[in-house]
Amino acid sequence: MTKFTGLVLIIFIHGFFFQTAFAQDERIALVPLPSVDDFTRGKDGWGLGLGLGIEYETAYEGSDEFGFEIDPAGALQWRREDNIFFWAGEALGWRGLRADTWLLEALVGFDEGREESDSDKGRLDGLGDGEEGFELVLQARRAFAADWRNWLVGRVIAGENGNLGLFGVGRRFGDKFDGSGSEINLVAVLHDSDFANKDFGITAKQSAASGLDETRMSGGFRSLGINYNYRHIINKNWQIFGEALYEHYSSDVRASPIARSNYEAEVGGGFIYVF
């Protein structure tokens, strides 16, 4: 066991045994979905949650290499009735509940781009680093009832390096309305040619430097995916969360020399302390 892992366990055990039990208390989350964090405890004003997450994931889009990554978790939020403004990592945004069955969200984020060094086996050598850029993300979920048991979801990502759309259905498991429990989403993903070439295209210059065939991607169907989210509220301050994702690429994507695998996958989890 590493020193870091030991420290995390000590903090987690301390919070579990020495904080006042709170897991059974119902709180009013903006919506009772584990994937939508709400640290305001149902009250107008500021909410803050900070923690750490660890993921085991593919090294880059289309990679057959996997690795661990540790990232900060949580967000700074400000709530006004059914609206939450938030700052989470490299994203600044807003989400709002309308008519109890519509969850709307808009945010501006930053895409760091792919780097040659993302492949430990040198699979990206000669391709250079991908371009960074800002992205605008618009998302809507439409529940079939106010209990948010089942819903439709749509998301559009518009950025400097292309556009992507996601459409699917989701279902929530569990009976609480505090944001704990689990949910699953099934989605279809589309991309335009710019977004496709950002991840899987190879220019003539890159082909000459890498030895890979020049590849020009067209827009269209990208993948089918399934995503699972879990959140458990231990007490007033401590939460644990988990996520698993699997995305199976279309035949057009799999034809790219960059796609060493037919899928992308990740699994992760972590903890958050709510102030």
Side-chain angles (χ1 to χ4, degrees):
M1 179 183 294
T2 66
K3 292 182 179 180
F4 175 81
T5 304
L7 177 60
V8 170
L9 288 175
I10 290 172
I11 294 174
F12 178 80
I13 293 171
H14 178 272
F16 186 86
F17 287 103
F18 294 93
Q19 296 284 339
T20 303
F22 194 75
Q24 298 302 317
D25 292 346
E26 292 285 324
R27 294 210 306 269
I28 302 174
L30 186 65
V31 286
L33 301 182
S35 62
V36 182
D37 48 27
D38 183 351
F39 305 131
T40 65
R41 299 191 174 103
K43 300 178 181 179
D44 286 357
W46 292 99
L48 175 62
L50 294 176
L52 285 175
I54 183 170
E55 296 178 340
Y56 183 69
E57 60 184 353
T58 48
Y60 56 90
E61 299 282 352
S63 174
D64 59 356
E65 303 170 57
F66 287 80
F68 287 97
E69 183 173 350
I70 297 175
D71 292 308
L76 175 65
Q77 303 172 338
W78 185 79
R79 181 167 179 168
R80 177 70 172 178
E81 297 180 347
D82 288 334
N83 300 279
I84 291 180
F85 299 87
F86 60 90
W87 174 38
E90 296 178 333
L92 183 67
W94 159 87
R95 65 175 61 105
L97 180 65
R98 298 294 180 269
D100 293 329
T101 56
W102 282 96
L103 178 65
L104 307 177
E105 183 172 285
L107 66 88
V108 175
F110 185 74
D111 179 10
E112 296 181 347
R114 186 185 64 201
E115 299 180 357
E116 276 194 16
S117 59
D118 287 343
S119 173
D120 293 334
K121 298 180 180 179
R123 300 276 173 78
L124 300 176
D125 289 355
L127 297 181
D129 294 341
E131 293 186 7
E132 302 175 338
F134 286 95
E135 296 177 332
L136 173 65
V137 181
L138 303 174
Q139 178 171 265
R141 298 198 206 192
R142 173 63 164 89
F144 292 103
D147 63 357
W148 281 86
R149 183 66 61 191
N150 302 287
W151 62 85
L152 301 175
V153 59
R155 181 189 304 158
V156 175
I157 300 176
E160 299 176 70
N161 299 315
N163 306 295
L164 178 142
L166 176 153
F167 308 93
V169 296
R171 178 170 175 81
R172 179 176 70 92
F173 304 94
D175 298 321
K176 292 183 176 295
F177 287 83
D178 58 0
S180 63
S182 61
E183 71 177 70
I184 193 168
N185 293 270
L186 301 174
V187 299
V189 186
L190 308 173
H191 56 193
D192 65 10
S193 59
D194 289 338
F195 201 99
N197 283 287
K198 173 179 73 74
D199 294 326
F200 300 105
I202 301 172
T203 66
K205 182 179 178 180
Q206 290 173 323
S207 176
S210 67
L212 300 176
D213 292 338
E214 182 178 352
T215 303
R216 177 65 184 173
M217 303 289 295
S218 59
F221 176 59
R222 179 184 179 95
S223 62
L224 288 173
I226 182 170
N227 175 259
Y228 174 82
N229 286 276
Y230 171 82
R231 187 181 300 271
H232 178 65
I233 298 175
I234 299 172
N235 51 47
K236 181 178 180 180
N237 300 106
W238 290 95
Q239 301 181 8
I240 57 174
F241 64 90
E243 181 180 18
L245 178 146
Y246 177 85
E247 182 181 4
H248 193 80
Y249 294 130
S250 68
S251 58
D252 287 344
V253 171
R254 298 197 303 267
S256 168
I258 295 176
R260 303 277 180 166
S261 176
N262 295 335
Y263 65 90
E264 177 189 0
E266 69 177 61
V267 60
F271 66 90
I272 292 176
Y273 183 87
V274 181
F275 292 84

